[in-house]
Amino acid sequence: MNFADSEILASILKDKYNTTDNYAEADLILVNTCSIRDHAEQRVFNRLKEFTALKKRRLGMKVGLVGCMAERLKEELLQSGLDIDLVVGPDAYRNLPHLLEEVESGQKGIDVLLSTDETYQDIEPVRLGSNHVSAFISIMRGCQNFCAYCVVPYTRGKERSRDARTIVNEAGNLFRQGYKEVTLLGQNVNSYHAGGGNFAALMARVASVDPSLRVRFSTSHPKDLSDELIETIASYPNICKAVHLPVQSGSSAMLAKMKRKYDRKWYLDRIAAIRARIPDCGISTDIIAGFCGETEEDHRQTLSLMREVGYDAAFMFKYSERPGTFASKNYPDDIPEEVKLRRLNEIIQLQQELSLESNRKDVGKNFEILVEGVSKKNDAQYFGRNSQNKVVVFDNPCLSDGKRQVAVGDYVTAKVESCTPATLLGRLADKA
Ligand code: SAH
Ligand code: SF4
């Protein structure tokens, strides 16, 4: 989400600034921040120290903090002793050129007003991703689910959906520029709603841009993952067969306390509905270890749910209390750090086993993959992803004319020959 927002920021500033890969030569550094866990914020403070130290050596350089931390901490940041020029919340990016003028005239630039209707839908993002194959399209902003642990509704404001026409146009433009994959982004895409159309209808429209444009989405909230959406995913070959469905906990008692608005049974029923209609669907999740009051039995239920679903992948976190949330005001953060860590490690360990098991089932199969880049470890190897969102690495030999057999952006068929928990290792079959 922040990556997509940075592309909007780059677009808003494009008349005045180009982007650079080398921050040491920058005239302006904007740090786009996340408040979701304390750890994310601490990393930003460390980066800021680095940037403000550089500022002392580079006259006229400006440093701004944008995004969720700007929204959460506001003036506090300007009083923190760090030499920051700008503090700009996620709904105030259009005001940046004006704020920069204020900074030029010696003031600080601050705008953390949240909006109920800003979607930046008319702004064509400057694409910062390097591969020109895959791009993000933000389809909505904000969130009002107010899960008890989560800071997002406070830092990103009310949920609002972007007009479907502008989304379909953006996907069409990307396709004409050579992009092969778009990922539709929102905190809870299932509640997308604009002009009478829901998310399933939007997906169908984006998938109809071209059969060779892959469509992905993130994130679905389990409480309203509809059968209609499952049907739409199943019926368009170019909608990727991968659903990220964050469960957070396998214990219904914890889910109620987290205010997730579903229980274990509901969640497992949604998984069964996906599997019944799309048997080969990749399924991934997010899990929080050590939420307030979590017992060993609650934790075991998370482990048992993970086994029952057999996730292909997961993002796993220790609970981090966020000031201002329902949990921080109403429940003590009472699971000792070492217990949180032990539970998290058990969850990670189990997921390693599940990922390996899932990958082993793919050995011997052929997959269509979209080639995304050159492997970091070996430049004779390229990688891409299959529809299920698994990374496949394969040898890409040089031909007699010096070119590689396949190029970034090609669709190819690869046969999986072996695997690790994180990657499938394949052999190029032929061009699809
Ligand atoms: N909107 C998405 C999640 C966005 S935040 C959804 O509801 O599924 C991404 C993930 O961060 C969450 O799924 C959750 O697992 C984790 N997370 C959010 N708040 C957290 C907190 N206070 N401590 C630890 N993890 C948290
Ligand atoms: Fe946070 Fe819940 Fe909204 Fe996701 S749905 S962003 S976890 S409040």
Side-chain angles (χ1 to χ4, degrees):
M1 190 75 75
N2 270 358
F3 188 86
D5 276 6
S6 293
E7 296 188 322
I8 290 171
L9 282 160
S11 177
I12 289 171
L13 294 174
K14 69 174 181 295
D15 293 340
K16 271 189 105 173
Y17 293 93
N18 294 316
T19 55
T20 170
D21 290 331
N22 177 12
Y23 72 80
E25 66 175 27
D27 300 310
L28 168 67
I29 298 182
L30 295 178
V31 189
N32 197 353
T33 59
C34 173
S35 289
I36 202 89
R37 285 170 292 276
D38 183 58
H39 180 64
E41 293 199 345
Q42 294 314 319
R43 282 175 55 194
V44 169
F45 279 121
N46 288 335
R47 291 293 274 174
L48 276 178
K49 279 185 203 134
E50 212 178 301
F51 296 146
T52 52
L54 183 67
K55 215 180 141 182
K56 287 202 184 81
R57 285 179 273 131
R58 270 182 63 88
L59 228 70
M61 186 181 127
K62 297 172 196 74
V63 175
L65 193 129
V66 306
C68 288
M69 271 175 82
E71 196 60 52
R72 197 177 82 73
L73 298 167
K74 303 184 173 73
E75 286 87 358
E76 226 177 279
L77 285 162
L78 294 176
Q79 289 143 19
S80 65
L82 285 165
D83 183 15
I84 314 174
D85 304 288
L86 291 147
V87 175
V88 188
D91 286 345
Y93 297 154
R94 278 182 209 270
N95 199 15
L96 254 170
H98 170 70
L99 293 169
L100 278 162
E101 279 169 22
E102 285 186 0
V103 172
E104 291 294 349
S105 69
Q107 302 166 49
K108 299 280 182 192
I110 174 160
D111 188 346
V112 289
L113 272 184
L114 285 175
S115 155
T116 53
D117 58 5
E118 177 63 276
T119 60
Y120 302 109
Q121 63 180 6
D122 55 315
I123 291 176
E124 181 88 37
V126 168
R127 300 294 164 184
L128 301 173
S130 55
N131 69 6
H132 295 283
V133 173
S134 186
F136 293 119
I137 302 182
S138 179
I139 63 161
M140 56 207 292
R141 300 185 71 83
C143 179
Q144 54 208 50
N145 284 307
F146 289 96
C147 300
Y149 51 81
C150 184
V151 76
V152 169
Y154 305 91
T155 57
R156 288 194 162 253
K158 275 217 163 98
E159 181 185 286
R160 64 221 99 122
S161 296
R162 190 177 152 184
D163 186 60
R165 196 177 30 85
T166 68
I167 297 168
V168 177
N169 283 348
E170 190 172 328
N173 288 342
L174 284 164
F175 182 71
R176 281 185 291 279
Q177 288 162 33
Y179 283 81
K180 299 285 178 59
E181 179 180 87
V182 294
T183 303
L184 308 187
L185 294 179
Q187 291 301 347
N188 175 14
V189 290
N190 298 323
S191 61
Y192 173 88
H193 225 87
N198 64 10
F199 183 59
L202 175 73
M203 285 286 278
R205 284 182 66 182
V206 176
S208 303
V209 165
D210 194 280
S212 66
L213 181 71
R214 274 187 172 182
V215 186
R216 297 187 185 275
F217 62 97
S218 191
T219 297
S220 297
H221 194 303
K223 77 177 163 63
D224 38 28
L225 177 78
S226 68
D227 290 343
E228 186 194 1
L229 178 64
I230 296 173
E231 191 53 43
T232 307
I233 299 170
S235 47
Y236 285 82
N238 58 326
I239 298 184
C240 289
K241 306 299 176 251
V243 177
H244 184 63
L245 202 63
V247 67
Q248 316 301 359
S249 168
S251 150
S252 291
M254 280 295 108
L255 290 169
K257 228 173 148 179
M258 288 174 167
K259 294 183 177 287
R260 286 290 284 181
K261 305 184 187 86
Y262 57 85
D263 59 10
R264 179 185 174 106
K265 185 171 171 304
W266 169 275
Y267 184 89
L268 289 172
D269 172 72
R270 293 290 76 202
I271 296 288
I274 298 170
R275 291 251 157 87
R277 187 67 184 87
I278 316 168
D280 64 341
C281 195
I283 297 182
S284 55
T285 199
D286 293 348
I287 295 175
I288 299 177
F291 185 58
C292 315
E294 185 186 71
T295 63
E296 285 302 320
E297 176 52 25
D298 292 320
H299 170 60
R300 276 194 293 274
Q301 295 220 9
T302 296
L303 297 174
S304 87
L305 179 130
M306 290 172 68
R307 276 192 207 96
E308 213 168 319
V309 177
Y311 290 112
D312 300 294
F315 297 105
M316 299 152 285
F317 314 102
K318 261 184 313 183
Y319 171 60
S320 164
E321 186 178 81
R322 306 315 291 134
T325 57
F326 184 88
S328 79
K329 289 184 195 151
N330 294 280
Y331 313 138
D333 180 11
D334 55 358
I335 307 302
E337 187 59 24
E338 66 275 14
V339 176
K340 281 185 187 171
L341 194 60
R342 196 244 314 143
R343 289 180 187 168
L344 176 66
N345 283 335
E346 287 173 8
I347 289 168
I348 293 172
Q349 177 64 38
L350 174 58
Q351 187 51 50
Q352 285 276 102
E353 291 164 24
L354 295 176
S355 298
L356 185 60
E357 206 174 295
S358 157
N359 283 353
R360 278 194 179 135
K361 286 189 196 143
D362 289 337
V363 174
K365 290 186 191 161
N366 279 328
F367 288 105
E368 181 185 67
I369 61 172
L370 173 59
V371 183
E372 287 179 35
V374 184
S375 155
K376 281 200 189 95
K377 290 184 206 144
N378 176 349
D379 65 8
Q381 288 193 321
Y382 279 43
F383 69 92
R385 274 175 301 153
N386 66 7
S387 176
Q388 290 74 12
N389 209 18
K390 287 188 182 175
V391 174
V392 184
V393 177
F394 58 91
D395 285 338
N396 188 12
C398 267
L399 304 176
S400 51
D401 60 3
K403 282 194 185 145
R404 298 271 170 194
Q405 188 173 337
V406 301
V408 171
D410 284 352
Y411 283 106
V412 300
T413 302
K415 182 175 178 135
V416 177
E417 296 188 314
S418 61
C419 67
T420 69
T423 324
L424 299 175
L425 304 162
R427 182 170 51 79
L428 227 39
D430 53 36
K431 268 201 181 189

